[in-house]
């Protein structure tokens, strides 16, 4: 365990994504399925919701697709968030049950990669978009997110306000333009350090944090997760990511 240490001031940034992307206020009702021991759930399903004056629906048990539909019908949430695998399970519901999800204006996901095939099927069957975000326990709040109306499937979206990001190679030099690199983040709610001094010295430098994730960024500022940096392999002169193989199989 790394023991990620945050300050009370970091918690004051809760709701960053909800305010900037969702425009949450006292009319917002959030139904999240991620537990509060995940940063994704703690921020977007509890602390961030309270800071926006919104309402949240909390569940004791682990979410099941049928229960989610029942809660949507009962509470009429305006935002639903879950990990991608749960969106895939919801798509397996009978059409008459899945139809309830059409009443939710906004959907948000993070925590793992959202296959483009799942996103396309959701749009076709439900008619709404799934906004992909990226964040870590070390950043507490989300760092990147797709915005409504300008979401780009396959990406983690754009950097949120105050988030600085750069791509470095394994030697700590700037990655060549157009090439993937290791993502370093400077963030308003970045953790102070780890309880492990060696991990702190290796990954926290001059206010920046090394995520260990491979990313690329296009000319429009959309960031794409390429997998863990140590998973990328070069085949015939091109970088190949294992998740691209998974995407091809799912498609």
């Amino acid at each position: 365990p790394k023991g990620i240490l945050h300050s009370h001031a970091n918690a004051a940034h809760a709701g960053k994504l909800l305010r900037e992307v969702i425009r949450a206020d006292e009319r917002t009702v959030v139904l999240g399925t991620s537990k509060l021991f995940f940063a994704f759930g703690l921020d977007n399903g509890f602390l961030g919701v309270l800071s926006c004056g919104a309402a949240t629906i909390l569940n004791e048990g682990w979410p099941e697709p049928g229960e989610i539909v029942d809660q949507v019908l009962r509470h009429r949430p305006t935002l639903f968030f879950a990990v991608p695998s749960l969106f895939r399970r919801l798509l397996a519901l009978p059409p008459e049950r899945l139809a309830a999800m059409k009443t939710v204006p906004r959907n948000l996901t993070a925590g793992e990669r959202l296959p483009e095939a799942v996103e396309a099927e959701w749009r076709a069957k439900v008619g709404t978009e799934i906004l992909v975000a990226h964040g870590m326990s070390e950043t507490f709040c989300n760092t990147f997110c797709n915005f409504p109306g300008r979401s780009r499937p396959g990406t983690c979206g754009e950097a949120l306000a105050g988030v600085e990001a750069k791509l470095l190679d394994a030697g700590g030099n700037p990655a060549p333009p157009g090439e993937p690199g290791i993502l370093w983040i400077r963030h308003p709610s970045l953790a102070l350090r780890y309880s492990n001094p060696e991990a702190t010295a290796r990954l926290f430098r001059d206010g920046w944090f090394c995520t260990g994730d491979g990313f690329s960024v296009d000319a429009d500022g959309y960031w794409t997760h390429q997998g863990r940096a140590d998973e990328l392999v070069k085949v015939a002169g091109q970088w190949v990511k294992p998740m691209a193989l998974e995407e091809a199989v799912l498609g």
Side-chain angles (χ1 to χ4, degrees), residues 81-137:
F81 73 86
V83 294
S85 57
L86 195 46
F87 280 96
R88 183 183 302 179
R89 293 180 63 198
L90 283 164
L91 286 169
L93 288 171
E96 62 274 13
R97 292 284 284 164
L98 182 62
M101 302 306 298
K102 296 180 180 181
T103 66
V104 184
R106 295 278 182 258
N107 301 285
L108 177 68
T109 193
E112 63 189 50
R113 185 180 61 90
L114 175 67
E116 291 186 45
V118 172
E119 199 274 344
E121 185 179 358
W122 185 270
R123 283 179 181 262
K125 292 183 176 180
V126 181
T128 55
E129 59 186 351
I130 302 174
L131 303 174
V132 177
H134 176 270
M136 305 179 71
S137 296

Side-chain angles (χ1 to χ4, degrees), residues 113-116 119 132 146 152-157 223-225 241:
R113 185 180 61 90
L114 175 67
E116 291 186 45
E119 199 274 344
V132 177
N146 278 279
R152 292 192 183 179
T155 77
C156 294
W223 295 80
T224 300
H225 189 227
K241 50 184 178 179

Side-chain angles (χ1 to χ4, degrees), residues 182-215:
I182 300 171
L183 177 67
W184 286 71
I185 287 283
R186 188 152 60 184
H187 191 278
S189 60
L190 187 65
L192 301 176
R193 62 186 183 277
Y194 291 129
S195 60
N196 182 326
E198 293 179 1
T200 299
R202 188 173 66 256
L203 300 175
F204 288 84
R205 298 180 188 171
D206 301 321
W208 291 83
F209 168 67
C210 177
T211 66
D213 287 323
F215 265 83

Side-chain angles (χ1 to χ4, degrees), residues 166-184 211-218 222-235 237-243:
K166 61 183 179 181
L167 298 177
L168 303 181
D169 61 22
N173 302 306
E179 290 284 325
I182 300 171
L183 177 67
W184 286 71
T211 66
D213 287 323
F215 265 83
S216 61
V217 60
D218 66 18
Y222 283 79
W223 295 80
T224 300
H225 189 227
Q226 304 287 350
R228 294 295 296 174
D230 53 7
E231 290 180 342
L232 290 174
V233 293
K234 214 165 194 178
V235 179
Q238 296 187 22
W239 288 106
V240 177
K241 50 184 178 179
M243 64 175 61

Side-chain angles (χ1 to χ4, degrees), residues 48-105:
V49 178
L50 297 181
S51 75
C52 295
T56 189
I57 303 161
L58 299 178
N59 300 289
E60 290 185 274
W62 289 98
E64 293 295 332
E67 295 171 358
I68 292 170
V69 167
D70 290 341
Q71 290 177 341
V72 166
L73 293 172
R74 184 182 310 121
H75 299 293
R76 298 294 179 180
T78 56
L79 171 67
F80 170 70
F81 73 86
V83 294
S85 57
L86 195 46
F87 280 96
R88 183 183 302 179
R89 293 180 63 198
L90 283 164
L91 286 169
L93 288 171
E96 62 274 13
R97 292 284 284 164
L98 182 62
M101 302 306 298
K102 296 180 180 181
T103 66
V104 184

Side-chain angles (χ1 to χ4, degrees), residues 134-151:
H134 176 270
M136 305 179 71
S137 296
E138 286 87 347
T139 64
F140 182 69
C141 298
N142 294 99
T143 53
F144 306 134
C145 192
N146 278 279
F147 283 72
R150 61 178 195 256
S151 177

